[in-house]
Amino acid sequence: MNLQQLLIKATSGQQMVSQSEGFNPLKASLVLAFGQRTLLEAVQPYNGLKATFPNAQIVICSSSGQISNQCVIEKDIVATAIEFEKTKIKSCEIDIISNTNIDDLGRKIKDELASDDLKSILILSEGSFVNGTELINELIIQTNKQIPIFGGLAGDEYAFEKTIVGLNIDATAGKIVAIGFYGDHIHFGFGSEGGWGDFGPEREVTKSDKNVLYKIGDRFALDLYKEYLGKYAEELPGSSLYFPLSMRENGTTASVVRTILSIDEEKKSMTFAGNIPEGSSVRLMKGNIDKLIDASAIAASRTNANSSQKQLALLVSCVGRRIVLGDRVEEELEVVKDIFGDQTILCGFYSYGEISPTLENVACELHNQTMTIATLFES
């Protein structure tokens, strides 16, 4: 496997950031490009990428910060090309604005990607309309919990207006793209960690509808949340990124983090990036910068990556982490690079939701406010 990473600038075209020895752009089979939504709309990078990598499947995804191998949050579009030597890939796309039935996405993935030699699936989904939990559940059903699935929900910087994704075309709203990887020579590692700390008591969800939370105990959810936020309540919904919720569906399941997408003052409800089922238990969380950075190192260590192999590390972190880390955000990238070494090229983006297998479940889980990492290399 050989790799090349480019920066695509609005005014001066492409600039190479990193390249492994022997890379041939004509042999590249997959390109992952991440950029701020308004920049992608202005630059329209697809034609330039197609000219450079004429035989590649090209996926373009908007972000809340794009990650390069330089361990910085780039202002430019970051495009990473992968030249597989022994691995085949297939791709498919669905528009959930024209077709809101998430079951159709699952069936399309099963029909177009399922195969005995399918090893893993990368999902890059729009992040404005999709219910992340329903997306994940449908993928798990269609793959019989046997295929690791990774990726994330597109971002829109801090605007939360719309997100865009594209497969072999410039990115537009409403698209979900899936890439399948095939054969015995491709290997993956996965890690995910949050680093957030719980505070306050754990409470039962007494009224909810999918990802909309109405009541916690006998209190309206928004009233209780504002009570805990104190002075930060006036800055909602933006301040909610500093205080996500941890959620356990029952006493035997692990906690997952849920990010608030919006609030409804009239109904006193909160809408999350994933479902909050009735009967589940929730607790507020808050971040400590050093613990968030340490969590990125833990996620990298859990991938069991081979630092002597040429490999790609796809990092999907959360927009909330970027906001909380502030000027120290690049430290969470640097600790990952230190663990992986120079043979690994980093790419990725800050997202509205992260998708990664868990240690308890081979398939996948929707995460919020985590650093998730997938490593890819060929034997």
Side-chain angles (χ1 to χ4, degrees), residues 231-256:
K231 65 178 181 180
Y232 293 99
E234 298 176 1
E235 302 170 22
L236 283 169
S239 60
S240 67
L241 293 170
Y242 293 88
F243 302 96
L245 288 188
S246 70
M247 186 270 293
R248 289 189 306 115
E249 287 200 35
N250 56 60
T252 62
T253 57
S255 296
V256 294

mmCIF file of all heavy atoms in Angstrom, residues 231-256:
data_model
loop_
_atom_site.group_PDB
_atom_site.id
_atom_site.type_symbol
_atom_site.label_atom_id
_atom_site.label_comp_id
_atom_site.label_asym_id
_atom_site.label_seq_id
_atom_site.Cartn_x
_atom_site.Cartn_y
_atom_site.Cartn_z
ATOM 1 N N LYS A 231 -24.305 29.354 34.456
ATOM 2 C CA LYS A 231 -24.072 30.511 33.581
ATOM 3 C C LYS A 231 -23.971 30.126 32.112
ATOM 4 O O LYS A 231 -24.211 30.945 31.222
ATOM 5 C CB LYS A 231 -22.806 31.244 34.006
ATOM 6 C CG LYS A 231 -21.530 30.422 33.847
ATOM 7 C CD LYS A 231 -20.291 31.208 34.249
ATOM 8 C CE LYS A 231 -19.020 30.393 34.053
ATOM 9 N NZ LYS A 231 -17.811 31.136 34.431
ATOM 10 N N TYR A 232 -23.609 28.849 31.837
ATOM 11 C CA TYR A 232 -23.477 28.416 30.449
ATOM 12 C C TYR A 232 -24.829 28.217 29.772
ATOM 13 O O TYR A 232 -24.911 28.088 28.552
ATOM 14 C CB TYR A 232 -22.685 27.100 30.362
ATOM 15 C CG TYR A 232 -21.234 27.239 30.757
ATOM 16 C CD1 TYR A 232 -20.797 26.888 32.030
ATOM 17 C CD2 TYR A 232 -20.299 27.719 29.853
ATOM 18 C CE1 TYR A 232 -19.470 27.009 32.397
ATOM 19 C CE2 TYR A 232 -18.965 27.845 30.198
ATOM 20 C CZ TYR A 232 -18.560 27.494 31.478
ATOM 21 O OH TYR A 232 -17.235 27.617 31.820
ATOM 22 N N ALA A 233 -25.914 28.176 30.546
ATOM 23 C CA ALA A 233 -27.237 27.941 29.976
ATOM 24 C C ALA A 233 -27.626 29.032 28.985
ATOM 25 O O ALA A 233 -28.349 28.780 28.016
ATOM 26 C CB ALA A 233 -28.280 27.847 31.091
ATOM 27 N N GLU A 234 -27.148 30.267 29.213
ATOM 28 C CA GLU A 234 -27.484 31.371 28.320
ATOM 29 C C GLU A 234 -26.862 31.210 26.947
ATOM 30 O O GLU A 234 -27.284 31.857 25.984
ATOM 31 C CB GLU A 234 -27.032 32.693 28.946
ATOM 32 C CG GLU A 234 -27.717 33.018 30.266
ATOM 33 C CD GLU A 234 -27.174 34.291 30.888
ATOM 34 O OE1 GLU A 234 -26.281 34.902 30.264
ATOM 35 O OE2 GLU A 234 -27.643 34.664 31.972
ATOM 36 N N GLU A 235 -25.856 30.331 26.824
ATOM 37 C CA GLU A 235 -25.128 30.165 25.560
ATOM 38 C C GLU A 235 -25.574 28.927 24.790
ATOM 39 O O GLU A 235 -24.944 28.541 23.812
ATOM 40 C CB GLU A 235 -23.624 30.098 25.837
ATOM 41 C CG GLU A 235 -23.085 31.319 26.551
ATOM 42 C CD GLU A 235 -21.659 31.122 27.028
ATOM 43 O OE1 GLU A 235 -20.961 30.255 26.467
ATOM 44 O OE2 GLU A 235 -21.238 31.831 27.957
ATOM 45 N N LEU A 236 -26.665 28.284 25.227
ATOM 46 C CA LEU A 236 -27.174 27.117 24.513
ATOM 47 C C LEU A 236 -27.678 27.515 23.116
ATOM 48 O O LEU A 236 -28.135 28.641 22.934
ATOM 49 C CB LEU A 236 -28.318 26.475 25.300
ATOM 50 C CG LEU A 236 -27.919 25.639 26.507
ATOM 51 C CD1 LEU A 236 -29.141 25.288 27.341
ATOM 52 C CD2 LEU A 236 -27.208 24.352 26.073
ATOM 53 N N PRO A 237 -27.605 26.610 22.089
ATOM 54 C CA PRO A 237 -27.121 25.232 22.194
ATOM 55 C C PRO A 237 -25.610 25.076 22.083
ATOM 56 O O PRO A 237 -25.084 23.990 22.278
ATOM 57 C CB PRO A 237 -27.832 24.546 21.031
ATOM 58 C CG PRO A 237 -27.943 25.621 20.003
ATOM 59 C CD PRO A 237 -28.186 26.900 20.766
ATOM 60 N N GLY A 238 -24.900 26.167 21.733
ATOM 61 C CA GLY A 238 -23.455 26.043 21.527
ATOM 62 C C GLY A 238 -22.706 25.519 22.734
ATOM 63 O O GLY A 238 -21.798 24.684 22.618
ATOM 64 N N SER A 239 -23.083 25.971 23.939
ATOM 65 C CA SER A 239 -22.358 25.556 25.145
ATOM 66 C C SER A 239 -22.559 24.080 25.472
ATOM 67 O O SER A 239 -21.817 23.520 26.279
ATOM 68 C CB SER A 239 -22.795 26.416 26.335
ATOM 69 O OG SER A 239 -24.178 26.272 26.583
ATOM 70 N N SER A 240 -23.552 23.433 24.843
ATOM 71 C CA SER A 240 -23.782 22.013 25.134
ATOM 72 C C SER A 240 -22.603 21.150 24.714
ATOM 73 O O SER A 240 -22.439 20.036 25.221
ATOM 74 C CB SER A 240 -25.046 21.532 24.428
ATOM 75 O OG SER A 240 -24.879 21.544 23.018
ATOM 76 N N LEU A 241 -21.776 21.641 23.786
ATOM 77 C CA LEU A 241 -20.610 20.866 23.361
ATOM 78 C C LEU A 241 -19.604 20.701 24.492
ATOM 79 O O LEU A 241 -18.782 19.785 24.474
ATOM 80 C CB LEU A 241 -19.950 21.530 22.152
ATOM 81 C CG LEU A 241 -20.782 21.509 20.864
ATOM 82 C CD1 LEU A 241 -20.157 22.391 19.805
ATOM 83 C CD2 LEU A 241 -20.947 20.091 20.347
ATOM 84 N N TYR A 242 -19.659 21.587 25.476
ATOM 85 C CA TYR A 242 -18.792 21.462 26.639
ATOM 86 C C TYR A 242 -19.329 20.445 27.643
ATOM 87 O O TYR A 242 -18.589 19.976 28.507
ATOM 88 C CB TYR A 242 -18.647 22.810 27.351
ATOM 89 C CG TYR A 242 -17.908 23.866 26.575
ATOM 90 C CD1 TYR A 242 -18.589 24.716 25.696
ATOM 91 C CD2 TYR A 242 -16.534 24.045 26.711
ATOM 92 C CE1 TYR A 242 -17.924 25.706 24.986
ATOM 93 C CE2 TYR A 242 -15.864 25.027 25.998
ATOM 94 C CZ TYR A 242 -16.557 25.851 25.144
ATOM 95 O OH TYR A 242 -15.891 26.824 24.430
ATOM 96 N N PHE A 243 -20.627 20.143 27.543
ATOM 97 C CA PHE A 243 -21.275 19.287 28.545
ATOM 98 C C PHE A 243 -22.164 18.241 27.860
ATOM 99 O O PHE A 243 -23.388 18.363 27.859
ATOM 100 C CB PHE A 243 -22.112 20.128 29.514
ATOM 101 C CG PHE A 243 -21.327 21.171 30.244
ATOM 102 C CD1 PHE A 243 -21.292 22.482 29.776
ATOM 103 C CD2 PHE A 243 -20.613 20.836 31.380
ATOM 104 C CE1 PHE A 243 -20.563 23.450 30.450
ATOM 105 C CE2 PHE A 243 -19.877 21.809 32.060
ATOM 106 C CZ PHE A 243 -19.842 23.106 31.590
ATOM 107 N N PRO A 244 -21.568 17.211 27.263
ATOM 108 C CA PRO A 244 -22.377 16.145 26.656
ATOM 109 C C PRO A 244 -22.997 15.259 27.730
ATOM 110 O O PRO A 244 -22.778 15.466 28.930
ATOM 111 C CB PRO A 244 -21.348 15.370 25.829
ATOM 112 C CG PRO A 244 -20.055 15.582 26.559
ATOM 113 C CD PRO A 244 -20.125 16.975 27.127
ATOM 114 N N LEU A 245 -23.783 14.291 27.310
ATOM 115 C CA LEU A 245 -24.368 13.305 28.217
ATOM 116 C C LEU A 245 -23.723 11.942 27.990
ATOM 117 O O LEU A 245 -23.440 11.573 26.847
ATOM 118 C CB LEU A 245 -25.876 13.159 27.987
ATOM 119 C CG LEU A 245 -26.838 14.255 28.421
ATOM 120 C CD1 LEU A 245 -28.267 13.772 28.251
ATOM 121 C CD2 LEU A 245 -26.594 14.684 29.849
ATOM 122 N N SER A 246 -23.498 11.201 29.070
ATOM 123 C CA SER A 246 -23.199 9.780 28.935
ATOM 124 C C SER A 246 -24.515 9.029 29.087
ATOM 125 O O SER A 246 -25.386 9.429 29.863
ATOM 126 C CB SER A 246 -22.182 9.313 29.974
ATOM 127 O OG SER A 246 -22.739 9.316 31.271
ATOM 128 N N MET A 247 -24.646 7.946 28.309
ATOM 129 C CA MET A 247 -25.909 7.213 28.286
ATOM 130 C C MET A 247 -25.654 5.716 28.321
ATOM 131 O O MET A 247 -24.816 5.208 27.596
ATOM 132 C CB MET A 247 -26.699 7.583 27.029
ATOM 133 C CG MET A 247 -28.108 6.991 26.945
ATOM 134 S SD MET A 247 -28.181 5.368 26.139
ATOM 135 C CE MET A 247 -27.731 5.779 24.465
ATOM 136 N N ARG A 248 -26.367 5.016 29.227
ATOM 137 C CA ARG A 248 -26.346 3.545 29.285
ATOM 138 C C ARG A 248 -27.757 3.046 29.021
ATOM 139 O O ARG A 248 -28.698 3.449 29.710
ATOM 140 C CB ARG A 248 -25.885 3.034 30.656
ATOM 141 C CG ARG A 248 -24.426 3.231 30.959
ATOM 142 C CD ARG A 248 -24.016 2.507 32.237
ATOM 143 N NE ARG A 248 -24.854 2.877 33.382
ATOM 144 C CZ ARG A 248 -25.663 2.035 34.016
ATOM 145 N NH1 ARG A 248 -25.785 0.778 33.596
ATOM 146 N NH2 ARG A 248 -26.375 2.435 35.064
ATOM 147 N N GLU A 249 -27.902 2.167 28.045
ATOM 148 C CA GLU A 249 -29.244 1.651 27.746
ATOM 149 C C GLU A 249 -29.767 0.773 28.872
ATOM 150 O O GLU A 249 -30.959 0.755 29.157
ATOM 151 C CB GLU A 249 -29.235 0.882 26.428
ATOM 152 C CG GLU A 249 -29.124 1.801 25.219
ATOM 153 C CD GLU A 249 -29.602 1.118 23.960
ATOM 154 O OE1 GLU A 249 -30.544 0.312 24.027
ATOM 155 O OE2 GLU A 249 -29.025 1.401 22.892
ATOM 156 N N ASN A 250 -28.880 0.010 29.505
ATOM 157 C CA ASN A 250 -29.280 -0.820 30.647
ATOM 158 C C ASN A 250 -28.049 -1.107 31.491
ATOM 159 O O ASN A 250 -26.942 -0.637 31.180
ATOM 160 C CB ASN A 250 -29.961 -2.121 30.190
ATOM 161 C CG ASN A 250 -29.091 -2.929 29.241
ATOM 162 O OD1 ASN A 250 -27.987 -3.342 29.594
ATOM 163 N ND2 ASN A 250 -29.590 -3.155 28.031
ATOM 164 N N GLY A 251 -28.229 -1.901 32.538
ATOM 165 C CA GLY A 251 -27.141 -2.137 33.474
ATOM 166 C C GLY A 251 -25.994 -2.956 32.931
ATOM 167 O O GLY A 251 -24.911 -2.990 33.532
ATOM 168 N N THR A 252 -26.186 -3.614 31.782
ATOM 169 C CA THR A 252 -25.128 -4.469 31.241
ATOM 170 C C THR A 252 -24.391 -3.841 30.063
ATOM 171 O O THR A 252 -23.398 -4.397 29.598
ATOM 172 C CB THR A 252 -25.727 -5.817 30.781
ATOM 173 O OG1 THR A 252 -26.679 -5.585 29.738
ATOM 174 C CG2 THR A 252 -26.417 -6.526 31.942
ATOM 175 N N THR A 253 -24.860 -2.707 29.568
ATOM 176 C CA THR A 253 -24.219 -2.091 28.409
ATOM 177 C C THR A 253 -23.226 -1.022 28.843
ATOM 178 O O THR A 253 -23.360 -0.402 29.895
ATOM 179 C CB THR A 253 -25.266 -1.444 27.479
ATOM 180 O OG1 THR A 253 -26.026 -0.478 28.231
ATOM 181 C CG2 THR A 253 -26.209 -2.490 26.924
ATOM 182 N N ALA A 254 -22.217 -0.813 28.002
ATOM 183 C CA ALA A 254 -21.230 0.227 28.268
ATOM 184 C C ALA A 254 -21.831 1.603 27.966
ATOM 185 O O ALA A 254 -22.744 1.734 27.147
ATOM 186 C CB ALA A 254 -19.992 -0.001 27.412
ATOM 187 N N SER A 255 -21.323 2.612 28.626
ATOM 188 C CA SER A 255 -21.787 3.975 28.382
ATOM 189 C C SER A 255 -21.266 4.492 27.049
ATOM 190 O O SER A 255 -20.146 4.186 26.642
ATOM 191 C CB SER A 255 -21.310 4.901 29.505
ATOM 192 O OG SER A 255 -21.875 4.539 30.740
ATOM 193 N N VAL A 256 -22.101 5.269 26.366
ATOM 194 C CA VAL A 256 -21.680 5.990 25.172
ATOM 195 C C VAL A 256 -21.993 7.462 25.394
ATOM 196 O O VAL A 256 -22.833 7.821 26.220
ATOM 197 C CB VAL A 256 -22.385 5.483 23.894
ATOM 198 C CG1 VAL A 256 -21.963 4.065 23.578
ATOM 199 C CG2 VAL A 256 -23.894 5.572 24.031
#
